[in-house]
Amino acid sequence: MPGEVVEILTADEVRRTVNRLASQIVERSGDLSKLVLLGIYTRGVSLAQILARQIEALEQTPVPVGAIDITFYRDDLDTIGIRTPAKSEIPFDLTGKTVILVDDVIFKGRTVRAALEAVKDHGRPEVIRLAVLVDRGHRELPIHPDFIGKQLPTAREETVKVYIQDLDGRDGVELWRG
């Protein structure tokens, strides 16, 4: 149990942040017919679906959404422990597409590095960009998101928890200390 829990984003703030991210993705992506969102399991998938719905509401253009599992591409399984892989669900070719990788939190960058490796098995995108709800810093790899919902400086020992309505019954972001 955490020593202290600090609310970072309320449900309304998460909604507004996702709306802003969707608008930024539309602005930077150009041809929306080439746009696809790939959520990184687990919460990145739900966020990608939410972003796709918002983009469709803004632009009246459906955006394909896929889910990518990066378990077998990780270089840190020895430190994070055993994980049960999910099934990547990418029902479209990524070749020539603008792929937006979506994740809830970026920390060291290792998850994104693994996702980039996994994407190669599904085609050769024209461009790959990264959208995250929270950037907490402490990168170990030279990876930087293109779209950031919230910059949140943290201590290494702190934990950022993202809650998504579809998975957790509520939306929000918390910082757990201690």
Side-chain angles (χ1 to χ4, degrees), residues 18-53:
V18 168
N19 291 348
R20 180 173 42 80
L21 286 169
S23 294
Q24 290 173 346
I25 290 168
V26 167
E27 288 173 14
R28 289 235 0 237
S29 296
D31 182 359
L32 295 182
S33 69
K34 294 169 77 177
L35 179 65
V36 298
L37 303 180
L38 273 187
I40 300 171
Y41 278 110
T42 296
R43 282 169 179 71
V45 175
S46 293
L47 281 170
Q49 293 164 343
I50 294 165
L51 283 166
R53 287 192 298 267

Side-chain angles (χ1 to χ4, degrees), residues 15-168:
R15 180 185 47 78
R16 285 191 296 270
T17 300
V18 168
N19 291 348
R20 180 173 42 80
L21 286 169
S23 294
Q24 290 173 346
I25 290 168
V26 167
E27 288 173 14
R28 289 235 0 237
S29 296
D31 182 359
L32 295 182
S33 69
K34 294 169 77 177
L35 179 65
V36 298
L37 303 180
L38 273 187
I40 300 171
Y41 278 110
T42 296
R43 282 169 179 71
V45 175
S46 293
L47 281 170
Q49 293 164 343
I50 294 165
L51 283 166
R53 287 192 298 267
Q54 184 58 27
I55 291 169
E56 184 168 359
L58 289 169
E59 298 296 316
Q60 291 70 55
T61 302
V63 177
V65 178
I68 194 158
D69 178 72
I70 52 101
T71 303
F72 295 120
Y73 299 90
R74 295 195 70 106
D75 65 358
D76 58 354
L77 282 175
D78 58 330
T79 60
I80 65 168
I82 296 174
R83 299 212 169 165
T84 303
K87 183 177 182 340
S88 289
E89 296 177 22
I90 306 173
F92 38 80
D93 185 12
L94 300 181
T95 301
K97 301 291 187 183
T98 297
V99 173
I100 309 294
L101 286 173
V102 180
D103 206 3
D104 57 346
V105 178
I106 186 168
F107 182 29
K108 298 176 182 178
R110 296 201 175 275
T111 296
V112 176
R113 188 219 46 86
L116 291 169
E117 289 293 317
V119 164
K120 291 189 311 187
D121 288 345
H122 298 278
R124 188 175 187 283
E126 183 175 308
V127 65
I128 302 172
R129 295 198 171 105
L130 175 62
V132 298
L133 188 62
V134 178
D135 181 351
R136 62 171 293 194
H138 302 286
R139 220 73 80 239
E140 293 176 355
L141 299 170
I143 293 173
H144 184 76
D146 299 278
F147 309 101
I148 301 169
K150 174 83 174 166
Q151 291 269 178
L152 181 64
T154 63
R156 281 188 169 280
E157 63 276 1
E158 294 174 325
T159 303
V160 175
K161 296 281 189 178
V162 172
Y163 300 95
I164 302 292
Q165 180 70 39
D166 295 348
L167 299 172
D168 307 303

